[in-house]
Amino acid sequence: MKAPKGCGPAIHKAQRPQLGALYAAAAALVGTAAKGGVLPDDRADLLYHSYSGGGVTINGTSLLVRKKVGDHVSLVGNWYTDSVSGASIDVVTQASPYKEKRSQGSLGVDLLLGKATYSAGYINGSEPDFRSRTAYASVSEDLFGDLTTITFGASRGWDKVGERGAPDFKATADRRNWSVGLSQVLTRNLLASLAVETSESEGYLQNPYRQARYLSGDPRGYSYEKEAYPHTRTGNAFAARAKYYLRWRAALDGNYRYYRDTWGIVAHTAELGYTLPAFHRWVFDAHARYYRQKQASFYADLFPYQGSQNFLARDRELAAFKELGLGFGASWELRPRHRGLLQKATFNLRYDNLRFKYDDFRDLRVQGAAAGTEPLYTLKANVLQLYVSAWF
Amino acid sequence: VKPYEREHLADPIMSFERDPVSGAYLDHVHESREGARGATGNVGGGCGCN
């Protein structure tokens, strides 16, 4: 499909906002395994992942290796790749399909001294027109007879944003995060945790390819203009989580998160999960997740005229919507008869079905409707993970 | 809760992060499509670098 008139480059990268999240997830991956006065197990995980929904397919792999060096140091490395193909609704309505590969590598170290674990690491992510570097550090300590673990963390990130078809365009963004976490043993069957995180971003925070639409004399009834985001964003998130051991050897867990930021987004996330070991070597999981958010203050599906506001956005990620996710997982454990290098391994499958229902993001693929009366967009996605974990 | 009373808590099914690679990937799937981020329950961690 050709890019519409005035749309800029033919290749429209609708997935740009994923990058920050990608590196956040990576930081979580390499930065959270250490818990107070115990170093994490030596293990390796190889994951194949596939996301399919809204006309887009994203699949790839992730390899994590963690290994102790002596009694006080643990090293961890991760290599993540994915490949994006297809045409999301943004691409169909504004530009051309595209294919792209992305990769990210990270290295981290955990140092155990007494009851405290000090962690630090570095993450480097890149794709053809985007680069991100992130450094992080944290300290985690067990207190009160190892019933309480408290963690302080901080990170700093630097992004470089480019645009295909515009070699002179170069922009940067800085990210800073601070977090505090507290986990607590409440009873012999109940664990709970609290987490607070503040994030600050400054610089070019938008997607250079995305556009806002406004009412015009065009035969369609609307035209497009460049989006304009604020250059700063501060967000605060608070999460509470609990996990309960059931007497027939199963676990029930619940999680709630509240988020608010200076762009006007307010979000609630609630999750419920159930884990059941069965048949000696199997573990089954079932989980449900509900998410809803209020739109950013400068978001609109259709602006009244060109340049009607200082800040303009029509990104789905900033719209008001509700999301329901349902999933299940199964894991089979291999126990070698003679334990040499390999202590045990698990073969795992996890499937999630996600459904998004937008309150003010309209489906512009529908022809013949007056601007602003198109049906609201909905999205269904399937997420599949196949992975092998080995302890050594 | 005494150390000898923590048998259930030590069971792998009680871990908040039983599968770190899978958990990080799902965080990525969600955060790339949502406006909210951070405090994903990964207590003990250092950052959520957005």
Side-chain angles (χ1 to χ4, degrees):
Chain A
M1 179 177 176
K2 296 286 185 185
K5 189 177 179 182
C7 187
I11 295 175
H12 181 98
K13 298 179 62 174
Q15 301 295 327
R16 167 64 66 245
Q18 290 194 350
L19 267 293
L22 173 62
Y23 306 129
L29 178 63
V30 297
T32 62
K35 305 281 186 189
V38 181
L39 286 176
D41 293 337
D42 292 348
R43 64 185 289 174
D45 298 79
L46 179 61
L47 166 75
Y48 166 79
H49 55 84
S50 173
Y51 171 96
S52 178
V56 174
T57 299
I58 306 169
N59 50 37
T61 58
S62 180
L63 173 66
L64 173 79
V65 178
R66 178 176 275 284
K67 182 79 178 77
K68 290 190 194 76
V69 180
D71 295 331
H72 299 283
V73 176
S74 176
L75 302 176
V76 60
N78 176 236
W79 181 252
Y80 174 97
T81 64
D82 68 27
S83 175
V84 185
S85 62
S88 70
I89 184 172
D90 308 290
V91 171
V92 170
T93 56
Q94 296 184 29
S96 303
Y98 68 98
K99 286 188 176 182
E100 183 172 84
K101 289 187 177 179
R102 308 183 294 201
S103 63
Q104 169 211 280
S106 59
L107 287 172
V109 59
D110 299 301
L111 175 64
L112 175 64
L113 294 175
K115 296 283 187 181
T117 300
Y118 302 86
S119 304
Y122 179 78
I123 304 161
N124 184 53
S126 65
E127 60 179 277
D129 51 4
F130 188 87
R131 184 171 182 205
S132 179
R133 295 172 295 137
T134 303
Y136 68 87
S138 72
V139 57
S140 180
E141 179 149 10
D142 287 346
L143 303 167
F144 312 125
D146 299 340
L147 296 177
T148 304
T149 303
I150 189 164
T151 304
F152 298 94
S155 72
R156 180 79 194 272
W158 304 268
D159 298 340
K160 288 184 179 177
V161 185
E163 182 178 354
R164 283 188 181 177
D168 294 335
F169 175 80
K170 290 176 183 173
T172 61
D174 285 0
R175 295 170 281 112
R176 299 176 185 85
N177 288 62
W178 297 271
S179 63
V180 179
L182 179 74
S183 65
Q184 178 69 45
V185 174
L186 292 175
T187 72
R188 62 176 66 184
N189 294 315
L190 180 61
L191 289 171
S193 70
L194 299 173
V196 179
E197 183 169 332
T198 294
S199 57
E200 271 189 353
S201 302
E202 184 175 7
Y204 189 83
L205 305 180
Q206 66 193 72
N207 181 328
Y209 302 98
R210 292 245 177 127
Q211 299 180 88
R213 70 169 183 153
Y214 60 93
L215 280 169
S216 73
D218 188 274
R220 295 174 301 186
Y222 60 86
S223 300
Y224 287 108
E225 62 183 316
K226 279 277 189 184
E227 289 187 324
Y229 278 26
H231 284 248
T232 60
R233 183 184 190 183
T234 302
N236 290 296
F238 168 82
R241 190 172 188 185
K243 197 154 193 175
Y244 186 74
Y245 186 93
L246 300 164
R247 57 186 170 80
W248 55 89
R249 198 187 170 217
L252 189 65
D253 70 275
N255 183 23
Y256 169 76
R257 181 181 65 173
Y258 175 80
Y259 174 86
R260 175 187 286 269
D261 67 26
T262 52
W263 287 4
I265 292 177
V266 178
H268 303 270
T269 310
E271 295 180 84
L272 199 59
Y274 180 70
T275 305
L276 177 69
F279 313 125
H280 302 293
R281 293 191 177 191
W282 288 89
V283 177
F284 298 98
D285 289 281
H287 30 265
R289 182 179 187 272
Y290 177 76
Y291 174 89
R292 72 171 187 185
Q293 76 174 41
K294 183 181 154 189
Q295 71 184 36
S297 56
F298 53 94
Y299 171 90
D301 177 70
L302 181 63
F303 290 93
Y305 53 88
Q306 186 173 20
S308 60
Q309 297 181 186
N310 287 343
F311 299 122
L312 306 152
R314 192 180 171 268
D315 276 358
R316 278 180 287 147
E317 293 79 11
L318 304 186
F321 68 90
K322 301 174 186 69
E323 173 192 348
L324 177 64
L326 297 173
F328 69 87
S331 174
W332 183 80
E333 183 176 318
L334 170 70
R335 297 173 197 150
R337 191 165 295 173
H338 304 289
R339 292 186 181 180
L341 179 64
L342 181 67
Q343 300 296 309
K344 70 169 184 175
T346 58
F347 297 84
N348 310 274
L349 175 149
R350 175 162 173 154
Y351 167 79
D352 288 87
N353 179 265
L354 310 179
R355 292 171 183 244
F356 297 77
K357 190 174 179 182
Y358 294 87
D359 295 345
D360 187 25
F361 181 83
R362 296 188 179 275
D363 190 345
L364 306 189
R365 297 170 302 181
V366 175
Q367 304 291 320
T373 66
E374 302 91 347
L376 293 169
Y377 183 61
T378 59
L379 168 65
K380 295 177 184 175
N382 296 306
V383 182
L384 177 67
Q385 299 177 73
L386 297 169
Y387 55 101
V388 180
S389 303
W391 285 258
F392 50 88
Chain B
V1 181
K2 302 295 183 188
Y4 56 84
E5 295 176 321
R6 299 177 198 173
E7 177 189 354
H8 293 167
L9 301 176
D11 192 311
I13 65 170
M14 288 295 286
S15 169
F16 281 128
E17 280 297 317
R18 191 157 57 94
D19 296 306
V21 172
S22 173
Y25 170 69
L26 280 176
D27 281 350
H28 163 53
V29 167
H30 292 134
E31 291 191 14
S32 60
R33 290 161 184 83
E34 299 168 353
R37 56 211 60 215
T40 51
N42 291 314
V43 176
C47 69
C49 319
N50 292 302

